[in-house]
Each structure stands twice: as structure tokens, then as C-alpha cells.
Amino acid sequence: MTTMLPVSEYLLLKSGEKRNLHSSVDYLSELPQEIIVFILSLLKIKEAGRTSVLSSRWRYLWRYMCGLDFDESKLMSQIRWRKVRIECMKAERRRFFRLVKHVTEMHQSQTIDEFKVGFEVYEPHFKSEIESWINFSMKKKVKRLTLDFERAGDGYTRTRGNYTLTTRFLHRYSIHSLTSLCLTAVEVTGLVLDHILSKCPFLEVLHVEVSQSLVNLKVAGPSLKLKRLEILRCKCLENLEISAMNLVSFKYSGPEITKMVLKHVPKLVDLSLACHYACFFVKHSSQFSSCLSKLKTLELDLGVEKFFRFPRFPELTNLRQLKLRVNARDVETLLHCTSLLKASPFLEKFSMQLLFSNGAATGKMKVRKAKHPHQCLKVVEVTGFIGCTVDMELSLYVLNNAACLEKLVIDTRYSLEEEIRWLNRWCAERLQDMILCPELDERIRDTGEKSAAIACARQLEARLPPGVELVIL
């Protein structure tokens, strides 16, 4: 068996043989076939297919790619917001299905590392096609499988997935090779996921998003290799029990669930919570003290609710990075958020993203000195800064109380696209069919408001302690 050199070393070796920079020798084509196929696998399938015209040697190499990426969600988003005719959408779907069918029929490699599909499909019409894709990937002993059938790009959240995965279907295949499974807009039950976990001894990543069928989920077992678990926007979830010795990262976004149990997770260091459960977590943080003490990174998206004061938190002795996303509309102060900073004595990086309305609060600033200055805080980022009282007050608090601060980043760029996407998700949980139009994007915030925000941010320069860098975006 031929030993493969890293690509960089191989090219250096060839350049050492012939140092003529104007040589017409095609060193790339001289690479071993295994390396060229690996390079092609880093491309999307259409891009890799275009390389077949380079030479006779390249013509069929794409058939041996170990990674097949059919993610066309961005393209579908662009088509949708151009308001093209339905016939054009149907034509694009037909083209997509022909492409996937052609590639899967022509593919020659015995195994694949990754199979990814990102497209807007619906089960009643495309069930057989979807199952043929899964069948193909299982026969190729895929390691990383991603199926994303959500309506693309407009932030809309469907109440149901677009395809139902059943244990009856899965029983046909061996799924032992899976190390990563990501399902979006795929209906799965707790029973199906339990089957997958029991039959995938090497599964390290499980991502489930937009599944109304998921009501009860138990992730437990002494032999589980699972390191990352993400359960997002599953609005009917009621009970979640996690007991996974190897779990490192857990991300949950959704409603308050009746019962969430986190036990026997000694390696859990990365926690991300969003939506209503994140608000519940803040109000009842003392219930999670056993997990909190081990965390290194914590992300909380609290945009669904306005907090006028934060409760006292258990001490987060290992926390190094904290990211908050808060609703700052019409609140008098954001200094209550600093209770999380006070509970994190070794925090090194703090990021806060602010959601503002046009009528953000103004008034007299309170410049406070903390009783216990933040001795380890080095980097602070404030995103959504508009220069009103509350965000200036927060920035001054950081400058006055972060003893070892190295960099303060003030981001005045107002990401309406992101906020609209968030509002769509929030509305979809309640109104199901409400869609906000991203064409409003450029109309809400004008250049004058951005200039005013930058001018306010520059006022902080006079307050900068020696050695602190101020970055204004």
C-alpha cells in the first residue's frame, strides 16, 4: 500500500526537483490519485464535477470522492426571495434530484466519509427519493450523515418535519459506521433515536432540529460515545433525560420542558441554551449548580423575554467564555446582567448581543464600581451597540471593572437579517404561518443612525485604561 505524503510536503518535493517557476509541468495532476480525490472531497459536488474537463485523468475522479455535499439551501433561498414563478422552483427541484441520482448511480468508492443534503423537499412527493439517498449512504457505510429538508433561507420554522424516519426503515441497514447524524425537518420519535443510539457504538454527534414527533427523549447508556448533543426547535418535547459519560457539549433551544435531567455528565463543559428554556434556566440556576461548576463556555439566548434583574447565580469556577443575547428594548439598565460576571471569577471573554427597538432607553448613566473587580476578563464584545444610555453604561462598567482588560470590541453593525430570522422562529412557535419579509432589511436602520452609534463609541476612547485596545466596527 502506497504511503500518502501530506499535500504540502508533496508539492515542496516536486518544486525542489524543478525550480523553474515558468515550467509548464502540471504538478497538481502529478499528485497521487488518493490526494486529488481528497482535495475534490473538500468541494461541493457541482464544483468537483467541473474539474472533469481539466484532463482525461480528471474526468472520472469525482466518482471516488469520499465526501458528497448536496447542500443547495442558499440557492433555494435566493430563488425564493426573487419571487420566481412556481414553475421555476419545480424546475430547480427536478434538476437537483437528477444531480443526486446521477452522482449516486455513478459513484465508485466503497465507502464515504460524509453525505449531506440540504434542500427543500416534502415527504408526500419525495419519500422514495429521500429513502434512496439514505439507502445509498448506508450501503457506503457513511460516517457523517446530514439531512436538512427545512424551507431554506427565510427563517421560517415549520411545525412538522418534511420526512418521517422510522425504526422499520432503519432495521434494513447496518448503521454501525455513523459518527455524526444531523437531522433538520425530519420527524423522529424518542424510540427512533433510542434505536439509533443503541445501534451506533461510535456516534459522537447527534443534532435534531424541527421535529414535532419528538416528545420524550432519553440519552443514556454506559457505552455511549456521544460527545455533542443538539436538540433545537422541537416544540412538543416534554421530557429529556441525559446520562452520558462522554458528553462534552449540549445545546438546547425550545420551550420549557416538564422534565430535564442532566446527570452523570462529568465531561460537560460547553452549554448553550436558547428561547424559553434559557429564561427558565436563568430564573432557576440554583437547580443546575452541579453542572454549572464544571462549565468552561456558557451561551444564553434570552431574547424572548425582558429581564429587569438577574437572580444570584451559583459560582462558575471554571467558566472562561460567556455569551449572552438579551432583549434590551425599553429596559432602564443592563447592569443586572453583570451578576453572571460576578459569579465567574476566572472569566476571560464576555460577549453580549443586544436587541434594540428604535426607541431605546435614554437617561442618566450609572457608572458603578464593582466590589470585586473582574481580575481575569481580557476580551469583551458588545454587538448591536447604538450609543444609548444602557449600552454606554454597560461599556463603561467593563472599562472600570475589568482589571486586566486587553480588548473592547464595539460592534455597531445592526444585523436585521439575524434579528428577523430570530423573530420568525419566535412567531412560528405561536402563529405557525407568520413569515416576516427580509426585504425590510435595509429600511429600518439608516446610515445616520450608524454614524451616531460610532460617534458614541468613540467617546469611550477617553476612558480607556492604558494598554486596552478599542475596536469599533
Side-chain angles (χ1 to χ4, degrees), residues 307-419:
F307 277 85
F308 296 98
R309 61 181 302 175
F310 270 38
R312 185 174 180 178
F313 281 82
E315 193 167 62
L316 308 171
T317 52
N318 284 306
L319 199 68
R320 298 297 185 268
Q321 294 188 40
L322 172 65
K323 185 175 182 179
L324 294 181
R325 194 165 191 264
V326 298
N327 185 343
R329 294 177 177 89
D330 305 319
V331 298
E332 295 182 358
T333 183
L334 291 171
L335 294 181
H336 52 262
C337 299
T338 60
S339 63
L340 259 171
L341 299 182
K342 296 170 185 175
S344 311
F346 301 105
L347 191 69
E348 296 176 357
K349 182 177 181 180
F350 173 52
S351 302
M352 178 173 276
Q353 185 175 3
L354 310 175
L355 296 174
F356 283 103
S357 65
N358 287 341
T362 58
K364 186 176 180 180
M365 286 187 291
K366 303 172 184 176
V367 182
R368 295 181 181 174
K369 272 282 187 181
K371 293 181 180 179
H372 305 284
H374 312 298
Q375 299 292 341
C376 298
L377 194 57
K378 297 178 181 179
V379 179
V380 175
E381 299 175 348
V382 181
T383 304
F385 183 96
I386 65 172
C388 71
T389 300
V390 291
D391 51 9
M392 284 290 288
E393 185 178 64
L394 178 66
S395 302
L396 289 171
Y397 173 88
V398 169
L399 292 177
N400 288 331
N401 295 287
C404 297
L405 189 67
E406 296 176 359
K407 179 186 289 188
L408 173 61
V409 180
I410 303 294
D411 193 344
T412 65
R413 296 172 297 184
Y414 194 65
S415 179
L416 260 295
E417 181 180 350
E418 183 177 353
E419 185 163 349

